[in-house]
């Protein structure tokens, strides 16, 4: 890791807020307060934080079923996010979307998404908009290792590459598509190799190293803004929890899991901040305490937010 | 109003071109929309020459991304008019249409919308076999959030196209291949036809024939035969299935007491079943006889012309259905 000229503490804060948000959800889910299942982002925070640190408010993000980290990093309000997960009217979508359909149009967040691989064509079209309107805005598409096997991956990268669209496809390879390991679901080592099929740059980074993610994304985003087209970035990372809240992830070798936990992106970033004299232990503690207070408030807000009434049910099918 | 004779195909293309001139965010994309090949020419001669490759965009053979990219582009501010060369290819892009485009406005509580037109060519016209002949409007009709437009005349092809492009919701725009070369008077200029407003194509008092797309002229042919036998049929062209002009259907049935629905799609769960159920629910007391449906049988579309001619409903079958309730 080298950290010159970076807002490393800002990325650290972003990761801690994401982790704290997710762990609060898990606590509430275990207490029976969360309707339905949630796909937690804990462990993968360096990807959202490192990539999105390079974005402006007018850039776009298209997210996944495991998308809370992307929304928070892009500036999403944790109270409205949490209330959406809780199914309340205070949520981003008044409870109609839930964890997998959470959007903020004012921040260029085109939603988390319930379909694995659905983010890719949508982000491609968003990239077309950025190019068509002669802007220097970019479209960032998050998806997982499992989604990279889908036809949407191939069709989207094909289209973006021939149209030279400003789309950065960011693969979060957490080594499992649900409970199926990458060894079982693909015959290559690096998903980034697939970029060769489209004649675009493909980069592998340590997805638990926020600086490495940041730097790889910075290069791709600068290229995209200046008309240089599409990039595929593969971030190798690790899911701390199962595929979803109720999944104990028995299919993972505990030793391998523990090894990965040693590479926790937040711990690594904290150590870097201390070793480079960029922050004190007290400052890092303050980041954690602020995040806990913020997410406590988000949970409180959500629990106090009214459930939607029946008269809300039929509202808004069509745009008028 | 000034008008001129033109084909259905040219009229639809004129609608697209006029909207492209009016609104720079409207663009076309699809397989061979700009090039030499262009199987059905639905984007129209001259459109590429006028607007160029930025706004008339050739794509690879990637129906998933053709529709999927349009959802993203529409969500952030463009108005895509994208094409499937055959409606049979809907299965390749159904997630993008049904889960993404159709649901976006509701599930995001109005934060995003998907103003896009998906043009699809339908129908068993030439012997093309089971993958290039279907009428799949019922697939789309089962997905809340879509609108479905199926014009039968050249004028409607233009007027409904303009309205569909201006609509802020995803519209499936069905162009039956048997209609593409049919000519009609088409109003010039900014001509729009509202969605959800059926037209009484032929007034009659004895039986109501409800149809859309290419079954409208077939019903008119049947009505002509029935007139010779002293049966005065009213023909209603729905023009759009979603939104559905229930009032037009019910008020006609109130007059005739008899309803025959004709569609080229297969029978079970075809859109005719929905119309029959709606009339049974809301107009049961108006009916003097059972509702009849004239449809294709529940089989894949056969290729041989010797079989195909029995597959597609014709005027004789519609006439025969009317006779059973006359």
């Amino acid at each position: 890791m080298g950290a010159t000229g970076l807002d490393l503490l800002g990325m650290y804060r972003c990761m801690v807020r994401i982790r704290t948000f997710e762990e609060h959800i898990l606590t509430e889910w275990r207490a029976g307060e969360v309707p339905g299942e949630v796909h937690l982002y804990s462990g993968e925070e360096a990807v959202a934080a490192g990539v999105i640190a390079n974005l402006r408010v007018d850039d776009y993000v298209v997210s996944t079923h495991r998308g809370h980290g992307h929304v928070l990093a892009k500036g999403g309000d944790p109270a409205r996010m949490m209330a959406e997960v809780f199914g309340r009217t205070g949520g981003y979508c008044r409870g109609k979307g839930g964890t997998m359909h959470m959007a903020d149009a004012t921040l260029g967040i085109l939603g988390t998404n319930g379909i694995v691989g659905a983010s890719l064509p949508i982000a491609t079209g968003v990239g077309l908009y950025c190019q068509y309107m002669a802007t220097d805005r970019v479209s960032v598409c998050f998806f997982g290792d499992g989604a990279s096997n889908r036809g949407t991956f191939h069709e989207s990268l094909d289209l973006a590459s021939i149209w030279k669209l400003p789309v950065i496809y960011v693969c979060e390879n957490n080594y499992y598509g649900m409970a199926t390991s990458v060894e079982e679901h693909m015959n290559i080592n690096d998903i980034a190799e697939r970029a060769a099929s489209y004649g675009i740059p493909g980069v592998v980074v340590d997805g638990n190293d926020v600086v490495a993610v940041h730097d790889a994304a910075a290069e791709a985003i600068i290229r995209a803004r200046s008309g240089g087209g599409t990039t595929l970035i593969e971030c190798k990372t690790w899911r701390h929890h199962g595929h979803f809240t109720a999944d104990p992830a028995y299919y993972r070798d505990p030793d391998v899991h523990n090894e990965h936990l040693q590479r926790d992106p937040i711990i690594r970033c904290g150590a870097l901040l201390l070793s480079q004299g960029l922050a004190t232990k007290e400052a890092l503690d303050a980041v954690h305490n602020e995040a806990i207070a913020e997410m406590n408030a988000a949970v409180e807000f959500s629990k106090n937010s009214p459930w939607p009434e029946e008269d809300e049910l039929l509202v808004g099918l069509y745009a008028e | 109003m000034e008008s001129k004779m033109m084909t259905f195909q040219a009229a639809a293309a004129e609608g697209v071109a006029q909207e492209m001139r009016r609104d720079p965010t409207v663009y076309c994309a699809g397989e061979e929309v700009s090039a030499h090949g262009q199987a059905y020419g639905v984007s129209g001669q001259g459109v590429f020459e006028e607007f160029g490759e930025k706004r008339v965009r050739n794509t690879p053979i990637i129906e998933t991304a053709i529709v999927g990219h349009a959802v993203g582009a529409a969500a952030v501010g463009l108005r895509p008019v994208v094409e499937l060369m055959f409606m049979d290819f809907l299965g390749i892009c159904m997630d993008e249409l049904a889960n993404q485009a159709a649901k976006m406005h509701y599930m995001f509580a109005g934060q995003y919308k998907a103003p896009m037109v998906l043009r699809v060519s339908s129908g068993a016209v030439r012997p093309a076999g089971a993958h290039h002949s279907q009428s799949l409007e019922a697939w789309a009709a089962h997905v809340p959030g879509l609108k479905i437009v199926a014009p039968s005349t050249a004028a409607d092809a233009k007027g409904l196209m303009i309205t569909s492009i201006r609509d802020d919701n995803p519209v499936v725009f069905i162009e039956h291949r048997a209609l593409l070369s049919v000519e009609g008077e088409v109003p010039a200029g900014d001509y729009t036809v509202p969605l959800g407003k059926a037209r009484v194509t032929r007034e009659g008092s004895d039986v109501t024939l409800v149809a859309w797309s290419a079954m409208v002229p077939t019903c008119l042919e049947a009505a002509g035969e029935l007139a010779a036998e002293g049966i005065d049929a009213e023909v209603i062209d729905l023009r759009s299935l979603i939104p559905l002009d229930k009032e037009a259907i019910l008020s006609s049935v109130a007059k005739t007491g008899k309803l025959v629905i004709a569609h080229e799609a297969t029978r079970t769960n075809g859109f005719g079943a929905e119309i029959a159920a709606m009339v049974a629910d809301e107009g049961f007391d108006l009916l003097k006889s059972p509702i009849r449906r004239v449809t294709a049988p529940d089989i894949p579309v056969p290729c041989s012309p010797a079989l195909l001619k029995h597959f597609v409903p014709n005027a004789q079958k519609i006439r025969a259905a009317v006779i059973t309730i006359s």
Side-chain angles (χ1 to χ4, degrees):
Chain A
M1 282 194 191
T4 327
L6 282 180
D7 180 12
L8 193 59
L9 185 60
M11 292 195 291
Y12 183 80
R13 180 178 296 112
C14 179
M15 292 194 289
V16 169
R17 290 176 72 232
I18 295 170
R19 176 75 54 88
T20 310
F21 182 88
E22 296 294 62
E23 298 304 315
H24 272 58
I25 285 183
L26 186 57
T27 301
E28 297 300 322
W29 179 85
R30 285 176 174 148
E33 296 283 345
V34 177
E37 300 290 340
V38 180
H39 307 87
L40 298 170
Y41 195 70
S42 297
E44 307 186 15
E45 294 90 348
V47 183
V51 172
I52 294 173
N54 293 285
L55 296 184
R56 306 188 307 234
V57 70
D58 64 346
D59 291 321
Y60 296 101
V61 165
V62 190
S63 177
T64 70
H65 59 290
R66 197 178 307 288
H68 300 163
H70 312 134
V71 178
L72 257 182
K74 191 66 169 64
D77 173 356
R80 294 181 69 195
M81 291 172 64
M82 188 74 77
E84 191 58 39
V85 175
F86 275 61
R88 309 301 177 101
T89 52
Y92 264 114
C93 308
R94 301 185 58 74
K96 285 176 171 162
T99 168
M100 285 190 282
H101 310 288
M102 179 189 288
D104 186 340
T106 67
L107 297 171
I109 301 164
L110 279 104
T112 54
N113 204 302
I115 304 294
V116 166
S119 61
L120 291 123
I122 293 173
T124 306
V126 172
L128 174 62
Y129 170 83
C130 297
Q131 181 194 68
Y132 187 101
M133 302 301 280
T135 73
D136 67 346
R137 295 152 84 171
V138 298
S139 169
V140 171
C141 178
F142 292 99
F143 59 100
D145 48 284
S148 77
N149 295 324
R150 279 210 54 209
T152 52
F153 173 90
H154 172 63
E155 293 194 10
S156 298
L157 272 72
D158 182 53
L159 193 62
S161 67
I162 59 172
W163 286 357
K164 303 200 176 346
L165 299 180
V167 186
I168 298 89
Y169 296 96
V170 180
C171 181
E172 301 178 311
N173 179 359
N174 62 23
Y175 294 90
Y176 284 87
M178 297 191 291
T180 302
S181 70
V182 286
E183 291 81 7
E184 291 175 273
H185 75 59
M186 59 179 60
N187 193 37
I188 53 175
N189 292 321
D190 294 328
I191 292 163
E193 286 177 39
R194 293 182 165 169
S197 303
Y198 313 101
I200 61 170
V203 186
V204 182
V205 297
D206 177 349
N208 283 13
D209 176 349
V210 72
V211 177
V213 172
H214 173 277
D215 291 353
E219 188 180 327
I221 289 166
I222 290 166
R223 185 162 54 230
R225 289 199 199 288
S226 57
T230 306
T231 303
L232 171 63
I233 301 174
E234 175 188 1
C235 301
K236 291 186 191 290
T237 182
W238 192 255
R239 215 172 58 196
H240 280 193
H241 302 294
H243 170 57
F244 57 100
T245 28
D247 170 17
Y250 292 144
Y251 45 85
R252 296 194 300 202
D253 181 329
D255 294 336
V256 174
H257 180 54
N258 286 328
E259 264 175 53
H260 277 283
L261 293 181
Q262 302 312 307
R263 294 196 281 272
D264 184 315
I266 294 175
I267 294 171
R268 288 171 69 184
C269 184
L272 183 67
L273 282 161
L274 294 174
S275 71
Q276 301 220 341
L278 295 168
T280 61
K281 176 78 170 54
E282 292 69 31
L284 298 189
D285 288 345
V287 168
H288 285 264
N289 291 332
E290 284 162 18
I292 289 167
E294 183 185 25
M295 300 315 162
N296 283 343
V299 169
E300 270 314 292
F301 172 80
S302 303
K303 287 180 176 172
N304 293 324
S305 178
W307 293 98
E309 301 287 341
E310 188 179 354
D311 61 9
E312 181 84 25
L313 182 69
L314 302 181
V315 173
L317 177 62
Y318 288 109
E320 300 299 335
Chain B
M1 188 186 283
E2 192 191 334
S3 70
K4 63 178 175 184
M5 286 295 286
M6 59 201 310
T7 65
F8 180 109
Q9 180 188 61
E14 181 168 291
V16 174
Q18 284 186 8
E19 284 307 285
M20 289 179 76
R21 283 179 209 120
R22 194 182 69 84
D23 180 351
T25 66
V26 178
Y27 75 97
C28 302
E31 291 157 18
E32 297 175 0
V33 292
S34 67
H36 39 85
Q38 220 204 335
Y40 294 102
V42 290
S43 287
Q45 301 79 0
V47 174
F48 178 68
E49 287 72 11
E50 179 177 352
F51 296 102
E53 62 186 13
K54 177 183 170 188
R55 299 184 65 193
V56 183
R57 309 182 72 96
N58 257 357
T59 68
I61 305 168
I62 50 171
E63 286 83 5
T64 304
I66 291 170
V67 177
H69 99 277
V71 178
V76 292
L78 299 183
R79 287 189 176 268
V81 179
V82 295
E83 301 182 11
L84 297 184
M85 203 173 275
F86 288 84
M87 191 177 201
D88 308 66
F89 306 161
L90 262 185
I92 306 167
C93 57
M94 205 53 167
D95 182 66
E96 285 58 40
L97 183 67
N99 274 330
Q100 310 300 331
K103 294 177 172 58
M104 184 170 266
H105 190 264
Y106 181 88
M107 73 186 176
F108 294 147
Q111 293 189 79
Y112 285 104
K113 58 191 181 186
M116 56 185 276
V117 177
L118 177 58
R119 304 178 69 178
V120 294
S121 86
S122 75
V125 181
R126 296 198 193 99
H131 295 168
H132 295 79
S133 301
Q134 297 171 87
S135 295
L136 298 172
E137 59 271 20
W139 287 15
H142 197 60
V143 181
L146 300 177
K147 295 186 177 182
I148 304 169
V149 176
S152 75
T153 68
D156 280 357
K158 175 180 173 178
L160 290 168
M161 177 63 78
I162 292 176
T163 308
S164 297
I165 294 171
R166 292 181 188 174
D167 200 287
D168 275 344
N169 299 282
V171 177
V172 178
F173 194 95
I174 300 170
E175 295 165 79
H176 195 289
R177 284 184 294 281
L179 298 172
L180 295 181
S181 60
V182 172
E183 292 195 322
E185 283 289 330
V186 177
D190 192 24
Y191 173 66
T192 60
V193 174
L195 308 189
K197 279 284 176 202
R199 176 188 42 228
V200 178
T201 299
R202 182 191 194 281
E203 289 197 15
S205 54
D206 295 333
V207 61
T208 299
L209 307 182
V210 169
W212 55 93
S213 191
M215 273 298 122
V216 174
T218 308
C219 282
L220 287 170
E221 187 187 340
E225 293 183 11
L226 288 163
E229 300 174 56
I231 297 171
D232 188 18
E234 179 148 297
V235 177
I236 294 183
D237 177 357
L238 289 179
R239 300 201 282 198
S240 69
L241 304 183
I242 312 283
L244 177 64
D245 191 347
K246 294 181 183 181
E247 185 51 40
I249 298 168
L250 291 168
S251 60
S252 179
V253 173
K255 181 167 63 170
T256 64
K258 294 175 182 174
L259 174 62
V260 175
I261 306 149
H263 60 64
E264 192 182 308
T266 54
R267 188 175 189 81
T268 301
N269 282 351
F271 198 75
E274 178 59 32
I275 296 170
M278 184 277 289
V279 173
D281 279 346
E282 301 180 33
F284 190 77
D285 295 339
L286 306 173
L287 290 164
K288 297 179 202 158
S289 71
I291 300 168
R292 293 282 186 246
R293 285 181 289 154
V294 183
T295 71
D298 286 331
I299 53 170
V301 184
C303 189
S304 168
L307 296 172
L308 191 58
K309 69 182 181 188
H310 299 297
F311 176 87
V312 179
N314 57 26
Q316 291 69 44
K317 287 180 179 169
I318 295 166
R319 176 197 159 275
V322 170
I323 295 300
T324 66
I325 53 173
S326 294

